[in-house]
Amino acid sequence: MSKQRTDLRESVRRQYAAAAVKVTEGGTACCGPQAVEVDENFGSTLYAAEERAALPVEAVAASLGCGNPTAVAELREGERVLDLGSGGGIDVLLSARRVGPTGTAYGLDMTDEMLALALANAEKAGARNVEFLKGTIEAIPLPAGTIDVVISNCVINLSVDKPAVFAETFRVLKPGGRIGISDVIAEDTLTPELRAERGDYVGCIAGALSFAEYRAGLETAGFTEVEITPTHPVADGMHSAVVRAAKPAHAGTAFVPTAAKGACCGVSACCTTDERVTDPSTTVADAKAASECGCQG
């Protein structure tokens, strides 16, 4: 990875770690957790009041998204859903309620502070059908063909390698699986330079794809039935949008894209009872620790 990409990823990590710490430390105050400051285009106000009321206040306070993907993903009882960039866990907890005790909601995040906050929120919510994983959305630590639905809330625009995210998302979905994503997307007339003028990378603006780029990225990864619907403006020529697409029912699951090779830290069937190391000279725990990833929950 280039130094510029490494620096951008680290900037994103620091920003979200600081947000988690702000919420966690605020929880010790008499007035409860301090919400992360966002405008009306981002945050918990994009969720229905009854949804917010059913969750720990810390999960609501840590909400940083630009939409409500659980409202558009049409989750069903018994499904396995994965949230890319799960943060404080708001969408994982809402998903867990929708898929019920026979389903599972996974959250994936690269930030230790957010993972700790999400685990605490899951405990407070009494959610038993959730699991949080440490890793990046460019190398998802789950086996191929195991997820029914992938959701994400204003996170893919922060990735430094979006083709890898689309390829990995396609890989982990079962044939016939689908995505329901909220993300910031630019109008096709805006060049990358014009997008950067409207906001910084960490602020979910400069790194956003255009509508045409987003569609092309998904289709290149193998997705069909791509629908991108803008919901509200977040900057001049920039929109929060709902993205839906499907993995064809006839698609195979054996192929692993180049971007996904080596994912899950050298562990096959990662995060299942059948996980095994690919290198017999080490252990599962050591392999995960060496790459700073693994399952939590």
Side-chain angles (χ1 to χ4, degrees), residues 34-185:
Q34 184 178 4
V36 178
E37 293 181 3
V38 291
D39 61 29
E40 68 276 6
N41 299 314
F42 298 89
S44 62
T45 58
L46 300 174
Y47 294 83
E50 58 268 25
E51 290 180 314
R52 299 197 302 268
L55 297 174
V57 290
E58 291 85 357
V60 176
S63 175
L64 291 161
C66 58
N68 180 356
T70 61
V72 302
E74 299 177 359
L75 302 179
R76 307 178 189 115
E77 189 86 15
E79 288 189 318
R80 291 160 62 94
V81 57
L82 168 65
D83 180 20
L84 301 180
S86 48
I90 185 170
D91 293 316
V92 174
L93 296 179
L94 288 173
S95 296
R97 293 167 63 89
R98 290 173 184 256
V99 301
T102 60
T104 305
Y106 296 93
L108 174 64
D109 207 281
M110 68 176 182
T111 308
D112 289 326
E113 293 84 352
M114 277 295 185
L115 286 167
L117 177 60
L119 286 166
N121 286 332
E123 184 66 25
K124 290 174 183 177
R128 297 291 176 261
N129 59 336
V130 304
E131 188 170 341
F132 290 97
L133 316 173
K134 182 178 180 180
T136 68
I137 62 176
E138 296 88 3
I140 300 171
L142 285 171
T146 55
I147 298 297
D148 295 294
V149 190
V150 172
I151 64 173
S152 186
N153 196 349
C154 205
V155 172
I156 294 176
N157 65 78
L158 293 169
S159 171
V160 296
D161 189 353
K162 296 174 181 65
V165 178
F166 295 144
E168 276 287 80
T169 301
F170 189 87
R171 180 185 69 83
V172 300
L173 280 170
K174 297 177 181 178
R178 62 196 187 278
I179 65 172
I181 291 169
S182 294
D183 214 356
V184 171
I185 304 180

Side-chain angles (χ1 to χ4, degrees), residues 246-278:
K247 180 173 181 174
H250 57 77
T253 59
F255 173 69
V256 179
T258 300
K261 291 179 180 178
C264 204
C265 322
V267 179
S268 63
C270 187
C271 309
T272 73
T273 57
D274 297 320
E275 63 181 4
R276 298 288 185 275
V277 287
T278 56

Side-chain angles (χ1 to χ4, degrees), residues 240-254:
S240 173
V242 170
V243 181
R244 297 182 178 92
K247 180 173 181 174
H250 57 77
T253 59

